[in-house]
Amino acid sequence: MSAKQNPQGFDIVIVGAGLSGLVALRSIIESSSSSRIKNVHVVEAREKVGGRLTGGGGIDLGASWTWQSDSGLRKLLRELSINTIEQPWEGKVVTVSGAGNVKREARFGESPCGPGGQRIQGGAHSIPTKILALINDLRASNKIKWHFGTSVSAIASDLRTSVAVAPDEDDAVEIELSSGETLEALAVILAMPPAAISKIEFLPPLPAPRLQFLESTKTWMSDILKFAVIFEDKFWTKEGLSGFGAFQTSKIVECTWDASDEETCSISGFARPVSVSMRGDDEAIKSAIVYDLKSCFGERASSPSSIHFVDWSYSNFNIDQVQSQESLNQHLNYGNKHLRDAFNSRVIFSGTESEDEAGHMEGAIKSGIRAANEAFTVAMGTKRRSL
């Protein structure tokens, strides 16, 4: 591969249609300078948008909570007319320590999300749906070219941009897709987990220290199985329980919380990734979840209406191998310059891990806005401007 020329207007490529990629797409389309854009190509390994906000249809099996300090997320929710609901905490906490040792005690305001946590009304998966609707309202859909079910194999950028030389507006980055298609753009935004970025072939190559940093950065939620168990009623509240369960020993579950809303009565929770022998055996996984819930909440928990789960340890697309137990020891140095500094000017790193907000939705939003600004800055050859 070699860098090519793109003299007719300019294209931007966004790799990843999770929250950070969609926020970058919206920022670009809404920009007052969007008339200078020829196309925005969005490359997504899945067959749908939403990334780690999705996974369970109408049930939250990815992102969970927001807090008042999430200024970027709160602003986005207001713009999308999405409300938040308080995380229930009233009642006793249940601690399960094994051998039938179950302790129920009142611990004021305690839940896995900590003080002030709120859930998104309608579920976090409603955010990508409304972002797309907002973009469609701008009648800019003709500029957006979607590439679903494909990933990026290689990226070639001009060697001149690796030194202190202002990039030429005619210089283009060449992006090779796993489908065999090749795209050219003046800027490419990699809205992906760092480990996924490390699988791409770069020309020129990424410096060895940076590549090693990307490879060793833990993908947020990659060591978690998240589940939601639906019941006919909130039987736990009738017994004075908050829904918060803390498991010191269990088959699979680590903690639970009340995830009910106006339409469903639900207990959600985090669990350990399943063993290789259980992977793909949905019934065995569901049985393990119910077993643990029964030990925590009693016999009523053994008869759910339905059980939903996503094991995020092997659901992160574009990663060649399942992150092993050793990944638990990988660093969480999110926001590090190796995760956010552009490479050769035109290749821009995004994704929630590139920010300081510990992988939360707030980090994804900040990174999407930052990446969009950087893409415009380099593509238009101007000083940094606010979109």
Side-chain angles (χ1 to χ4, degrees):
M1 294 178 63
S2 60
K4 299 278 184 97
Q5 303 292 309
N6 185 16
Q8 302 173 353
F10 67 83
D11 288 4
I12 292 175
V13 172
I14 300 173
V15 185
L19 182 55
S20 57
L22 290 177
V23 167
L25 175 62
R26 180 196 170 193
S27 298
I28 290 167
I29 293 300
E30 286 189 337
S31 167
S32 59
S33 302
S34 63
S35 60
R36 294 190 60 184
I37 301 172
K38 183 180 176 184
N39 296 300
V40 182
H41 294 269
V42 184
V43 180
E44 170 54 48
R46 294 177 174 86
E47 295 294 342
K48 60 182 180 180
V49 304
R52 285 169 276 179
L53 297 187
T54 60
I59 298 171
D60 272 344
L61 293 177
S64 299
W65 296 290
T66 174
W67 296 265
Q68 289 293 341
S69 58
D70 293 337
S71 57
L73 176 58
R74 292 308 177 101
K75 180 176 182 291
L76 178 62
L77 294 178
R78 289 193 300 271
E79 292 168 350
L80 299 177
S81 299
I82 297 176
N83 297 320
T84 58
I85 55 178
E86 296 294 330
Q87 172 62 51
W89 54 263
E90 299 90 345
K92 295 180 180 180
V93 172
V94 181
T95 303
V96 180
S97 58
N101 187 3
V102 178
K103 184 178 181 181
R104 292 173 169 82
E105 59 180 327
R107 280 150 53 181
F108 181 79
E110 191 166 339
S111 73
C113 64
Q118 295 179 320
R119 299 202 316 275
I120 295 172
Q121 193 171 45
H125 48 272
S126 63
I127 296 176
T129 300
K130 292 206 171 187
I131 289 178
L132 290 181
L134 207 60
I135 291 172
N136 288 335
D137 286 344
L138 295 172
R139 298 182 179 179
S141 299
N142 62 314
K143 288 190 175 184
I144 304 172
K145 311 300 180 184
W146 297 95
H147 305 263
F148 288 110
T150 189
S151 57
V152 171
S153 303
I155 297 176
S157 53
D158 197 307
L159 284 168
R160 289 179 301 162
T161 58
S162 63
V163 296
V165 177
D168 189 317
E169 285 196 12
D170 287 343
D171 294 334
V173 179
E174 185 177 282
I175 302 99
E176 183 179 290
L177 306 186
S178 59
S179 63
E181 185 178 2
T182 299
L183 305 176
E184 295 177 19
L186 292 189
V188 55
I189 295 172
L190 300 177
M192 309 159 59
I197 296 175
S198 72
K199 307 301 180 185
I200 298 173
E201 178 186 357
F202 286 85
L203 183 66
L206 290 172
R210 185 167 197 178
L211 179 59
Q212 292 168 4
F213 198 95
L214 293 169
E215 291 174 334
S216 63
T217 297
K218 177 180 173 294
T219 301
W220 183 250
M221 286 189 71
S222 65
D223 56 353
I224 288 294
L225 180 150
K226 186 177 178 183
F227 63 86
V229 182
I230 312 300
F231 296 96
E232 291 184 358
D233 64 340
K234 291 178 64 171
F235 62 85
W236 54 92
T237 61
K238 299 174 184 177
E239 300 175 13
L241 305 179
S242 68
F244 180 20
F247 294 76
Q248 297 173 2
T249 58
S250 65
K251 280 194 171 183
I252 187 171
V253 176
E254 294 186 338
C255 68
T256 65
W257 61 89
D258 186 337
S260 305
D261 56 25
E262 295 177 351
E263 298 181 358
T264 61
C265 302
S266 173
I267 291 286
S268 283
F270 293 135
R272 295 182 296 278
V274 298
S275 62
V276 174
S277 62
M278 286 181 66
R279 187 155 294 153
D281 190 344
D282 289 2
E283 293 308 312
I285 296 170
K286 291 178 181 179
S287 294
I289 292 171
V290 170
Y291 178 91
D292 288 337
L293 292 190
K294 182 179 175 181
S295 72
C296 184
F297 298 106
E299 190 65 33
R300 289 288 305 278
S302 64
S303 302
S305 301
S306 60
I307 305 173
H308 312 266
F309 70 89
V310 169
D311 187 343
W312 289 102
S313 69
Y314 68 103
S315 292
N316 289 306
F317 280 77
N318 210 26
I319 299 179
D320 293 339
Q321 59 185 12
V322 177
Q323 292 182 337
S324 62
Q325 185 67 24
E326 286 77 14
S327 72
L328 300 178
N329 299 321
Q330 290 177 323
H331 64 76
L332 300 176
N333 194 6
Y334 297 150
N336 186 281
K337 68 185 182 69
H338 286 311
L339 303 179
R340 55 186 292 134
D341 286 356
F343 176 63
N344 287 355
S345 298
R346 298 193 182 279
V347 182
I348 297 159
F349 288 35
S350 183
T352 184
E353 288 88 358
S354 69
E355 300 294 328
D356 296 326
E357 279 72 14
H360 292 161
M361 289 181 278
E362 180 73 4
I365 290 167
K366 285 187 174 181
S367 76
I369 294 172
R370 170 182 56 78
N373 276 288
E374 290 181 13
F376 260 107
T377 298
V378 68
M380 297 175 67
T382 60
K383 295 182 179 179
R384 181 175 299 276
R385 66 180 66 199
S386 174
L387 296 176

